[in-house]
């Protein structure tokens, strides 16, 4: 159970019919912001902005992680909860925040741009490497796969998506965290976009009153227009199928994960759709009833990457759908056939992705053939449970392998510890996995690794759910002192040395890696 706070305007009537604008406010860093302190704060403070006739939602965001990972999912669930209990205008939801909350706002703006009528990030950070260099004069040396995974939360890589999300950034003139808006401004310029950046003169790390008034006026103007549900032009960038949707375009498959993929789409003259893609092999165009501007009951010309296809036109209720995929480099109409091992939305990796949904830690009850491995598994599993509580403010569910039920397999991602000798669940599915255990090593393709190899794979017992094979902790690289380094540190397969555990909060656990890669 994760708390959230609400500010309800005096104009709200429980029995009324009017729908209200909803503002998200992502809080700043607070080392002592426990759940109790957060609730106490929310009972006493309304917050930086309380616009008229607006409900303000304050997500807790799992303590101090800029609403990343589980904090990201909590925020989406908090919005859903508020919409169930209050009359919210879904066309007028604004994402806002300051400091660490500004960082959260940037990532929500670029990952879910078609959900917000406007975004208002203040200070914070927008990526990892440059921020650390500017803010604390620190150089970082990630592994090649850690650097590739920086695409997840490096908002500069996703700047084109702000084409669909009006954004008003704020910075104090003498605040070092002005760097976040500055680097996003540069990234947007490279995409042909101009950022509205309000600067508080001679101001450090806070809102300057006149600048705050300007910000509020601009945000309210954007909010008054509401969302545009069927824009005639779409520009969409993604690096992962976790974020695969922009208005009426959904990307189903990528050519290569963690490499820039792009779709530029346009509705032309009510007769045809023109698309240009890069690193995309399957996509869906979908407009619900009453929203499709194409001519009803007339065939639609679909021109994609210069190739022309014809699809049936919208139905009488003005809805339309067109599935497209590549076969031997050519686009064809239809959804691709199901394959045994293929990445799709919700099952695309990396390892950390298994922890973005309901998960179950499966504790081995048997014995490994290697006493060193068994000792290590127990120590690292205990440590993972402890650090989930510390960093994500929750008690993970844990079951012995012999107690796992079919319902568990259906409903949760499985975090399997040990090996086929020690873990009964792993023993049942080992022959169906793309990795092999021998008495001395693990084989995953060519690499052969002594010790351990965490990896993410679909669950053969429940293809829609992944299992994570772990011989070390769920390494989210959560440094409390470096919020911008709260990034995934494990690829989809990571070999680990059998040395002692690293217990320093400032230690990069990836330095113990024996190598990694992606499926």
């Amino acid at each position: 159970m994760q708390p959230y706070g609400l500010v309800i305007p005096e104009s709200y009537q429980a029995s009324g019919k009017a729908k209200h604008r909803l503002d998200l406010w992502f809080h700043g860093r607070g080392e002592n912001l426990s759940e109790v302190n957060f609730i106490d704060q929310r009972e006493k403070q309304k917050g930086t902005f309380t616009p008229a006739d607006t409900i303000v939602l304050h997500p807790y965001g799992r303590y101090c992680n800029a609403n990343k990972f589980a904090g990201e999912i909590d925020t989406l669930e908090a919005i859903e909860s508020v919409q169930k209990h209050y009359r919210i205008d879904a066309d007028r939801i604004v994402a806002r925040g300051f400091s660490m909350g500004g960082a959260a706002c940037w990532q929500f703006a670029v990952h879910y741009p078609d959900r917000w009528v406007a975004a208002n990030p203040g200070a914070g950070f927008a990526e990892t490497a440059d921020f650390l260099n500017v803010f604390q004069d620190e150089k970082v040396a990630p592994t090649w796969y850690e650097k590739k995974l920086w695409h997840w939360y490096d908002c500069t890589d996703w700047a084109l998506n702000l084409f669909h999300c009006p954004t008003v950034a704020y910075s104090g003139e003498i605040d070092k965290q002005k760097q976040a808006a500055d680097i996003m401004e540069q990234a947007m310029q490279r995409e042909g976009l101009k950022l509205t950046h309000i600067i508080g003169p001679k101001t450090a790390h806070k809102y300057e009153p006149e600048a705050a008034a300007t910000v509020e006026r601009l945000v309210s103007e954007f909010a008054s227009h509401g969302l545009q549900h069927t824009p005639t032009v779409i520009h969409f960038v993604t690096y992962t199928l976790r974020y695969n949707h922009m208005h009426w375009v959904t990307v189903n498959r990528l050519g290569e994960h963690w490499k820039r993929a792009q779709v530029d789409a346009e509705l032309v003259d009510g007769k045809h759709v023109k698309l240009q893609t890069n690193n995309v092999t399957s996509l869906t165009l979908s407009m619900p009833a009453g929203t499709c501007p194409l001519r009803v009951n007339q065939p639609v010309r679909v021109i994609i990457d210069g190739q022309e296809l014809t699809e049936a036109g919208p139905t009488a209720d003005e809805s339309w759908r067109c599935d497209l995929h590549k076969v031997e480099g050519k686009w064809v109409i239809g959804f691709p056939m199901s394959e045994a091992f293929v990445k799709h939305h919700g099952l695309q990796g990396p390892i950390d992705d298994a922890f973005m949904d309901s998960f179950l830690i499966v504790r081995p009850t048997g014995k490994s053939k290697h006493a060193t491995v068994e000792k290590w598994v127990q120590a690292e599993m205990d440590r993972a449970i402890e650090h989930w509580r510390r960093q994500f403010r929750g008690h993970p569910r844990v079951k012995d392998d012999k107690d796992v039920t079919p319902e568990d397999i259906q409903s949760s991602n499985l975090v399997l510890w040990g090996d086929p000798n020690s873990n009964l669940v792993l023993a049942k599915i080992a022959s169906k996995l793309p990795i092999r255990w021998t008495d001395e090593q693990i084989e995953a393709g060519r690499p052969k690794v002594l010790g351990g190899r965490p990896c993410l794979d679909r669950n053969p017992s429940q293809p829609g759910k992944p299992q994570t094979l772990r011989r070390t902790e769920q390494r989210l690289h959560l440094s409390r002192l470096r919020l911008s380094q709260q990034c995934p540190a494990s690829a989809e397969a990571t070999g680990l040395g059998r040395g002692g555990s690293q217990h320093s909060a400032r230690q990069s656990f990836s330095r113990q890696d024996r190598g990694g890669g992606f499926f």
Side-chain angles (χ1 to χ4, degrees), residues 13 38 49 227 365 471 476 500:
Q13 299 293 325
F38 173 80
F49 294 102
L227 282 177
T365 58
R471 288 176 183 236
L476 290 176

Side-chain angles (χ1 to χ4, degrees), residues 16 22 122 136 258 273 281 467:
L22 176 67
Q136 54 196 59
W258 305 111
V273 182
T281 61
Q467 76 263 328

Side-chain angles (χ1 to χ4, degrees), residues 101-387:
C105 184
W106 278 119
Q107 66 103 349
F108 272 83
V110 300
H111 287 157
Y112 304 99
D114 56 356
R115 294 192 61 156
W116 324 122
V117 70
N120 170 214
F125 55 89
E127 43 67 61
T128 297
D130 189 77
F131 175 80
L132 287 174
N133 185 37
V134 171
F135 191 69
Q136 54 196 59
D137 194 27
E138 180 178 353
K139 303 289 186 181
V140 288
T143 63
W144 69 269
Y145 48 86
E146 281 182 295
K147 187 173 182 179
K148 184 182 283 284
L149 289 171
W150 279 358
H151 288 306
W152 189 335
Y153 285 121
D154 272 5
C155 301
T156 46
D157 296 335
W158 306 70
L160 180 61
N161 291 344
L162 296 180
F163 177 86
H164 297 281
C165 183
T167 303
V168 181
Y170 168 80
S171 305
E173 184 180 18
I174 57 175
D175 185 0
K176 275 192 172 183
Q177 290 186 18
K178 179 174 175 289
Q179 178 269 350
D182 287 343
I183 200 166
M184 284 301 297
E185 188 169 17
Q186 296 167 19
M188 291 175 69
Q189 285 176 346
R190 291 193 293 270
E191 304 288 2
L193 304 175
K194 182 175 177 58
L195 175 66
T196 299
H197 187 188
I198 307 303
I199 299 175
K202 300 179 181 179
T203 303
H205 196 58
K206 63 180 181 179
Y207 259 99
E208 190 272 334
E210 290 188 10
T214 300
V215 166
E216 183 53 42
R217 177 178 56 81
L218 291 172
V219 169
S220 293
E221 287 178 3
F222 286 127
S224 68
H225 298 307
L227 282 177
Q228 185 180 10
H229 289 281
T230 314
T232 56
V233 175
I234 285 180
H235 298 297
F236 178 41
V237 164
T238 187
Y239 289 79
T240 167
L241 291 177
R242 170 157 287 280
Y243 310 107
N244 70 328
H245 181 266
M246 180 72 79
H247 289 293
W248 44 272
V249 173
T250 300
V251 174
N252 302 316
R253 295 185 186 176
L254 300 178
E256 180 182 343
H257 254 67
W258 305 111
K259 178 181 177 182
R260 178 175 171 127
Q262 184 168 336
V263 178
D264 299 295
E266 183 178 5
L267 300 172
V268 183
D269 299 332
K271 298 179 181 178
H272 67 274
V273 182
K274 186 176 182 180
L275 303 107
Q276 191 69 38
T277 73
N278 180 51
N279 193 31
V280 174
T281 61
S282 174
L283 57 83
T284 295
L285 313 177
S286 180
M287 303 173 198
T291 66
C292 182
L294 298 170
R295 295 181 182 177
V296 173
N297 292 331
Q298 289 191 15
V300 177
R301 293 169 57 216
V302 178
I303 303 172
I304 179 167
D305 297 336
Q307 182 183 342
E308 185 168 332
L309 303 168
T310 301
E311 175 63 298
T315 58
D317 66 355
E318 296 182 348
S319 65
W320 185 68
R321 178 183 174 114
C322 177
D323 297 303
L324 298 154
H325 69 282
K326 278 186 173 180
V327 176
E328 297 181 350
K330 296 291 185 180
W331 287 99
V332 297
I333 299 288
F335 201 83
M337 294 181 64
S338 178
E339 299 177 22
F341 294 98
V342 65
K343 295 178 181 179
H344 56 78
H345 176 65
L347 183 58
Q348 71 283 308
I351 290 169
D352 310 283
D353 195 62
F355 300 86
M356 299 282 278
D357 201 345
S358 173
F359 69 90
L360 177 67
I361 289 178
V362 180
R363 180 169 48 205
T365 58
K367 295 288 185 180
S368 171
K369 288 187 177 181
H370 298 278
T372 302
V373 170
E374 186 172 314
K375 183 178 179 181
W376 186 25
V377 165
Q378 186 61 52
E380 291 300 323
M381 181 180 65
D382 291 345
R383 182 166 181 266
I385 293 170
E386 174 194 358
H387 276 265

